[in-house]
């Protein structure tokens, strides 16, 4: 298992600061729209935040309940109240900072350290705490950040007037997506011994692949929405049904309870609307090829409709710019995808696990160690 370093600790602190700033930006942008009389935009922004917060709090509390099974019920009741007021993520940041500080600054490294060594236990506690946070951030990215990014781009395309806070929201969205994806991959490699270390070049390739393909898809969906909100909603619902059905067929085993597993599959269905993830840790060359081939066909179809129909809802110069950005980001995203999977993606894959939702809180020999949640999470 990899070590939790000082650099990881500082990134953790930075992530917490960005999380707080992001909350402030959301309420700032929503208030600006409200003051301008754009009540629907303001409500949508707050709804995206509220939905993502609710889902992440549910999963966070469920994980606490699983991890603390058999412990003091009074502690769980307090944790439940904190999650009820949508602040559960700060408890997780507290534990992550506590264990992370001990692992990064107070532990002495030893090459001969065994699994029973206290320093190894603290390292694993820190990595597990950060991993849980990063899994929740993946949920937040696709339930809140990307929908808000789509909304902001749609508003910019629909209205001639632009404001600083709109660009601030878009920049925060791109930063949030980038950090979430990188931290997720770092946690993946730290938590699973089968995965290779996530090097700098791999990080850049992975982030650009994700950002560019997601950007191209968001621009395409924005064009459809300009043409017809009804068609856009129908398309998104259809894509969610496809993603949810595929997740059901994969027989995921991320959660202990059946209800939580269906909630997880529902969320994964939403995630698959915007980007591909390997939800079982197996080779999915065919699946990812079909996924992005479908996105490419849909994107090109939308652009052809605009080219030949030339609807008056969007100016020709604006469509030209959006069309070029859509094609360019799609092509570059596919190139980064191919390079990443051809040369920089780990060649080893996770082994199927019988136990999916227990976290290793007790040190022991490597062969008898329990597997953490991450073993059955999104494994790209």
């Amino acid at each position: 298992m990899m070590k939790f370093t000082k650099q990881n600790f500082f990134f953790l602190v930075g992530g917490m600061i960005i999380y707080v700033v992001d909350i402030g930006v959301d309420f700032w942008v929503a208030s600006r729209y409200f003051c301008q009389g754009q009540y629907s935009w303001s409500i949508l922004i707050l709804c995206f935040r509220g939905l993502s917060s609710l889902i992440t709090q549910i999963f966070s509390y469920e994980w606490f309940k699983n991890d603390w099974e058999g412990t003091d019920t009074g502690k769980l009741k307090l944790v439940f109240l904190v999650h009820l007021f949508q602040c559960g993520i700060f408890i997780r940041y507290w534990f992550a900072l506590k264990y992370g500080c001990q692992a990064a600054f107070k532990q002495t490294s030893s090459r001969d350290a065994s699994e029973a060594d206290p320093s190894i236990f603290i390292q694993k506690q820190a990595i597990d705490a950060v991993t849980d946070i990063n899994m929740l951030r993946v949920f937040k990215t696709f339930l809140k950040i990307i929908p808000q990014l789509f909304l902001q781009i749609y508003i910019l395309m629909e209205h001639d007037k632009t404001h600083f806070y709109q660009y601030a929201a878009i920049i925060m969205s791109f930063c949030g997506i980038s950090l979430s994806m990188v931290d997720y991959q770092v946690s993946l490699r730290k938590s699973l011994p089968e995965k290779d270390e996530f090097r700098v070049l791999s990080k850049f390739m992975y982030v650009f692949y994700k950002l560019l393909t997601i950007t191209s898809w968001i621009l395409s969906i924005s064009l459809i929405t300009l043409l017809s909100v009804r068609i856009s909603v129908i398309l998104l619902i259809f894509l969610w049904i496809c993603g949810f059905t595929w997740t059901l067929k994969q027989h995921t085993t991320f959660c202990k309870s059946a209800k939580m597993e269906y909630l997880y599959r529902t969320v994964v269905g939403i995630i698959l609307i915007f980007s591909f993830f390997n939800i079982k840790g197996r080779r999915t060359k065919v699946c990812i090829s079909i996924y992005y081939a479908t996105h490419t066909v849909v994107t090109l179809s939308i652009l052809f409709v605009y080219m030949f129909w030339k609807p008056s809802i969007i100016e020709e110069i604006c469509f030209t710019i959006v069309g070029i950005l859509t094609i360019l980001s799609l092509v570059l995203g596919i190139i980064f995808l191919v390079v990443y999977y051809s040369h920089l993606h780990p060649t080893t894959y996770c082994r199927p696990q019988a136990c999916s939702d227990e976290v290793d809180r007790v040190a022991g020999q490597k062969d008898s160690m329990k597997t953490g949640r991450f073993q059955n999470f999104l494994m790209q």
Side-chain angles (χ1 to χ4, degrees), residues 15 28 34 39 76 82-83 103-104 176 221 254-255 310 348 370 375:
W28 174 46
F34 189 85
Y39 304 120
L76 271 178
V82 175
H83 282 80
I221 299 298
F254 179 64
C255 302
K310 294 182 179 178
T348 53
K370 297 177 183 177
Q375 195 77 15

Side-chain angles (χ1 to χ4, degrees), residues 133-199:
I133 290 174
N134 288 333
M135 285 192 289
L136 294 173
R137 287 175 62 193
V138 170
F139 288 153
K140 175 192 168 188
T141 296
F142 288 92
L143 293 173
K144 196 275 290 187
I145 296 178
I146 291 179
Q148 283 188 356
L149 178 61
F150 157 67
L151 179 63
Q152 294 298 337
I153 290 176
Y154 169 75
I155 293 171
L156 286 178
M157 291 170 62
E158 187 184 39
H159 299 280
D160 295 331
K161 294 182 179 180
T162 58
H163 302 277
F164 170 75
Y165 60 84
Q166 293 174 309
Y167 293 106
I170 290 174
I171 291 171
M172 281 298 298
S173 295
F174 278 116
C175 290
I177 295 170
S178 302
L179 290 172
S180 174
M181 293 297 97
V182 170
D183 289 342
Y184 153 72
Q185 279 290 334
V186 171
S187 292
L188 174 63
R189 283 154 175 76
K190 283 184 178 293
S191 299
L192 304 178
E194 296 91 347
K195 296 291 183 181
D196 296 335
E197 184 181 355
F198 202 33
R199 302 185 184 278

